[in-house]
Amino acid sequence: MDLQSLANLFATTYNPDPNVQKTGELQIRKIATQEGVLTALLQIIASDGVELATRQACSVYLKNRVHTSYILPSNPRPDHVPIAQSDRTALKANILPLLAASPSRSITVQLAATLKDLVAHDFPERWPTLLDDVKRLLGSGDVREVGAGVVAALECVRAFRFRQKADILPGIITTLFPTLVTIADGMLNTSPSQPASQEIPAMLHLILKTYKTAIIVNLSKHQQSPESLVPWGRLLFRVVEMSVPVEGVPSDEEERENCEWWKAKKWAYGTLGRLFHRFGNPSQLPSPMQKEYGVFSEHFVTNFAPEIFKVYLHQVELYVSGQAWLSKKCQYQIFQFFTECIKPKSTWILLKPHVDTLVASFAFPQLTFNASKQAMWEEDPVEYVRASIDEYENFSSPVSGATSFLLSLASNRTKTSFLPMLQFVNTVLRSNTTPPQRFGALTMIAVLGPFIVRHPDVKGSIEQFMVQHVLPEFTAQEAYLRSVACEVLGVVTKAGITWSSAENLTNHSRAVALALDDRELPVRVQAALAITELVVVHDSVRDAVSPQVGKVVQDLLKLSDETDLDMLNHCMESMVDRFQNELLPVASQLTARLCESYMRLAREGLAQQGEAAPDNIDVESLVSEADDDKVYGAMGVAKTIGTVVSSIDSSPEILSQVQEVIIPIIRFTLENKLIDLFDNMYDLVDALTFRLHTISPNMWPIFELTYDLFKNDAVDFLDEMLPSLDNFVSYGTDVLKARPDYRQKVLDMYRTALTSPQLGDNDKINGCKLAESMLLNLHGHIDDQLQDIIAIAADHMDKGETASFRLANLEILINTVLYNASAALHFMEAYKPRLAHEFFNQWFAAINGENKLPRVHDKKLSILALCKLLEMEASAIPDGLRDGWPGIVVGALNIFKTLPQAIARRKALEDELVDGDSEDEDEDAKYLNLEGEEDEDVWDEDSAYLELLAKEGARLREKSELAEAGDDESDTSEESEIEEELGFFSLLDAINPYITFKQALQTFQNKNSNLYQAATTMLTVEQQTMLMEVVTLAESQAQTGQS
């Protein structure tokens, strides 16, 4: 196909006629993998004679084709066609010149993403000239070529930004970064009136982004050296301190936030913060990083950190006094740096004299009610609620930065900072200030509430504060004050405020109950959150709300539908849990309403999935943009439905009704393959089938759907599906016995779990659990499948990377013995010579080994299977195994010897689980730092967590390096111990192994007296004593009826 025809074909992809589009796309698919097509696309993109939209379409296709087919996958699909070598050569030869000649930013974005994939795969071995080519562009006198070099440098770094091993990126940094810093310095010396000046902020932004991207994981030796650190540090300070030219930025503040100059400043602030936070803060540097960065961090904190602090403080002074403007993202970065300065002694000494001023003039104004908050409240109250409640999670919001700053001061420098902050709040509230400032002061109380309630000097006065400053705001004219009053009450209630006066508690709870009917939506949401906390903590409030709980729940449902806020689902869960008896009569109606909400959200989520993703999307924007609100909302509603199901556990009739209401949403989710919601749906299936102990006719289509999904789109969801599948087998035995096709489906899922190359050992273990459920629950009804199960297990006897899987697989064969001992041994011998012998060797190695059958279930299963062997007719015992038959009794006694300890360990774990749920630890120490010297380094939970992460990262890197070197020692000593599964239930739980063994021993004596004689004669004195103890225990437990 000639270039013009190919260009015309790609032009059809944006044709307004969908039929033309579809025809064009099909034609492109047919020719796409032909050699030479990508080379032709490069020519079209470079051609000024082709329409810009067509060149854009070609660049998008080029990026996608390279991304999916340049790097060969380890398990390629049969239809996968790799990119031809001639096209690979053309790509590398033309991509940099194309970047320099790119006619639009959108095409540059596509070409940059293409370049990153080429670099990641081919540099350095298959593209040794790359850095020289990039350096040549950077040294060019042509501004477009320099711009292309800057883009290429960024993509070279991005290709290896997450690489733990410092082997490739340091070379890129050493080669390109000295040139980049020189270019950036020159740009700052260029007059804004010069022709190229409009290109400067964009390139400067990309250069700074390149540096910050390079220090995500490591700081190279070159970057640690004065030769690099000094010029880059000087550049970063210049960018932070520069006055942005008025003609270079928009007058509109929102547009100014996103202009290139302020993007450059944001990256400068962020880079200085990253250098200090990860590499330059010795008191917080994790121990695995000390060797590599210890000297650097000492140098940085001594020479650079004070300078950063001085510069940032000056910028804040200019901003606060109105002499300069700061973007929100820059303010956030400044707050982040100040927050990092709190824990190290060296920087705390710098910050300490300025804390009161920074709190009052920089942090507090962020929390006041301002014009932008007012506008959002009026234009989109739902968005206001979402922004105000999720603000602390917003990584570019100065409100989030100010909040983190205040929290860190309160928890780490409690003795110096906490009481002055409260004094400041009191001064604001007592000085007849404006409503927006009162809002800010109360917001500070909401932030500091958990600390106030725990601080020994002030917790006694919080009740009086609530009466004096919070209660009156419930009737304030300003709706935002009513909202923050609800928020403060919710926070201090959750934190554990002690009310000395029942009247004060009643007055506050009544006020918040009235706020549920407020005309303003944000007030109603905060009231819902607060009333939930009150109901959970105080029985008196619960009793007062009880007669009105139906209305409260309806209000919550209405609010939830209006806002799709996940925290309202949490409120609903708490209400359902707290008012189980009151809501029981209306459980079906409540569930129906919740299911309506779920279906609305699921349908909207489905519609979102159907929308085409933009072609120039960046990973960072995917992470930061919350496009999954509907899906998350649906997850929350599903959890609430699960809480309803748990709360009506005691009423099977109502639960059956509720189940019929829920089944349609499960079917909808599975049929429409809403994979993000599968986990929630299978939780519901599990809860319903387990609690009802039966499978309703309408639930069986869910089983069929599950099988179809597992065989196609959801093969890796077996972990989520397993509890439900186990319930289908356990409680649907009558149907399974009558439906050979259903039994075949279960067997096929087991086979797929063990044979699919996509699944690992954990999924294989789940497959084994499913097969075990069949063998235990369908006794006598899977005779025709026994041979297949044995064959599958036998094929995996010496496979698997973990001890857990090897044991699970061995136990399938043990289960077949329990199911039908003589048939199982016969099938083993028939499938593979000496298979039964090998099975017995492995089984008895586990029986006689130390802790090889660690769980109670493992031991019981083996004992009961050994009992089946003892009960076999003499004629059915295979000749090759007869000589070892007397050893069965010894094997059983060895298991009995360790069974009591295993039962005791399981009981201890169960008790620990119960105690852990009810434990109410004193958490004061987590909030307040009242011990030790005030100005010393602080090492808190966050510091300890980072230390833990660093140590684990170092361990995994070392393990990976050993594996690469062929010296991997990942044997059983590194295996995690096989632990008890407290949520696992089995038919074996009801069987008493002592009584069963005693009966089997009697049968063994009656049927095989010679073998019985041999078995008992070979016992040692210790084993004879053990046998007597087992028999005695069996007799006593038979009398008391124990299992």
Side-chain angles (χ1 to χ4, degrees), residues 668-687:
F668 176 85
T669 306
L670 301 184
E671 285 169 350
N672 287 281
K673 299 173 183 174
L674 287 164
I675 283 180
D676 290 336
L677 296 167
F678 278 11
D679 197 1
N680 304 87
M681 292 301 100
Y682 282 113
D683 280 346
L684 287 174
V685 177
D686 177 33

Side-chain angles (χ1 to χ4, degrees), residues 107-125:
I107 288 177
T108 299
V109 168
Q110 306 303 324
L111 294 174
T114 306
L115 173 62
K116 179 165 79 76
D117 284 331
L118 300 180
V119 173
H121 187 256
D122 279 0
F123 182 79
E125 291 87 356

Side-chain angles (χ1 to χ4, degrees), residues 655-904:
L655 189 54
S656 295
Q657 295 168 16
V658 164
Q659 176 178 252
E660 298 309 310
V661 174
I662 294 172
I663 285 174
I665 72 167
I666 299 170
R667 288 193 64 168
F668 176 85
T669 306
L670 301 184
E671 285 169 350
N672 287 281
K673 299 173 183 174
L674 287 164
I675 283 180
D676 290 336
L677 296 167
F678 278 11
D679 197 1
N680 304 87
M681 292 301 100
Y682 282 113
D683 280 346
L684 287 174
V685 177
D686 177 33
L688 290 165
T689 51
F690 181 74
R691 284 179 163 81
L692 286 168
H693 282 217
T694 185
I695 310 296
S696 76
N698 288 332
M699 190 61 88
W700 282 107
I702 305 292
F703 169 78
E704 295 175 11
L705 269 170
T706 299
Y707 171 75
D708 292 338
L709 285 165
F710 177 71
K711 292 296 288 181
N712 294 288
D713 304 86
V715 69
D716 50 354
F717 272 80
L718 186 56
D719 204 40
E720 290 78 7
M721 295 171 173
L722 179 70
S724 302
L725 289 167
D726 182 48
N727 292 345
F728 277 113
V729 176
S730 302
Y731 307 125
T733 49
D734 290 342
V735 173
L736 281 164
K737 287 171 184 176
R739 294 284 301 263
D741 57 326
Y742 279 5
R743 298 199 299 273
Q744 197 58 41
K745 280 177 165 56
V746 179
L747 176 66
D748 190 38
M749 292 181 82
Y750 164 56
R751 179 186 289 108
T752 304
L754 263 71
T755 57
S756 170
Q758 290 176 253
L759 302 180
D761 273 14
N762 189 55
D763 291 299
K764 290 180 170 67
I765 291 167
N766 288 328
C768 291
K769 288 178 180 175
L770 191 56
E772 179 173 87
S773 187
M774 282 180 74
L775 289 160
L776 292 176
N777 288 286
L778 298 173
H779 195 269
H781 292 273
I782 53 168
D783 294 352
D784 54 339
Q785 295 176 313
L786 190 63
Q787 194 166 358
D788 288 336
I789 293 171
I790 287 170
I792 296 165
D795 289 343
H796 291 83
M797 273 181 74
D798 297 313
K799 295 180 182 175
E801 297 175 6
T802 61
S804 301
F805 169 64
R806 290 191 289 273
L807 177 59
N809 189 60
L810 177 66
E811 288 188 341
I812 291 302
L813 293 173
I814 298 171
N815 267 289
T816 63
V817 171
L818 181 62
Y819 178 88
N820 187 328
S822 58
L825 296 178
H826 169 72
F827 286 144
M828 286 182 203
E829 289 294 287
Y831 182 67
K832 198 182 291 181
R834 293 185 59 78
L835 173 59
H837 189 269
E838 177 57 28
F839 159 62
F840 268 85
N841 283 344
Q842 290 197 17
W843 186 10
F844 275 81
I847 288 171
N848 298 319
E850 187 178 344
N851 210 31
K852 297 290 187 183
L853 299 174
R855 297 165 299 196
V856 174
H857 177 77
D858 303 326
K859 295 179 190 298
K860 274 184 117 173
L861 173 63
S862 277
I863 289 169
L864 298 175
L866 291 172
C867 290
K868 289 292 182 185
L869 293 175
L870 293 177
E871 292 170 346
M872 279 177 64
E873 298 289 343
S875 57
I877 300 171
D879 293 336
L881 301 174
R882 187 177 294 275
D883 289 346
W885 220 249
I888 292 171
V889 175
V890 175
L893 291 173
N894 284 342
I895 302 173
F896 275 119
K897 188 176 178 181
T898 57
L899 180 60
Q901 294 96 305
I903 292 171

Side-chain angles (χ1 to χ4, degrees), residues 10-27:
F10 272 88
T12 64
T13 60
Y14 56 89
N15 191 292
D17 185 339
N19 293 321
V20 174
Q21 260 190 47
K22 191 71 178 171
T23 305
E25 286 167 5
L26 290 172
Q27 185 63 26

Side-chain angles (χ1 to χ4, degrees), residues 231-267:
W232 278 100
R234 192 185 300 120
L235 171 68
L236 294 166
F237 284 134
R238 284 186 71 188
V239 174
V240 165
E241 292 183 292
M242 74 176 176
S243 296
V244 178
V246 177
E247 63 272 25
V249 296
S251 55
D252 179 76
E253 279 200 12
E254 205 166 311
E255 290 178 22
R256 200 184 315 166
E257 287 274 349
N258 295 311
C259 78
E260 292 292 339
W261 280 114
W262 279 100
K263 281 183 181 177
K265 286 176 83 75
K266 176 198 79 173
W267 284 99

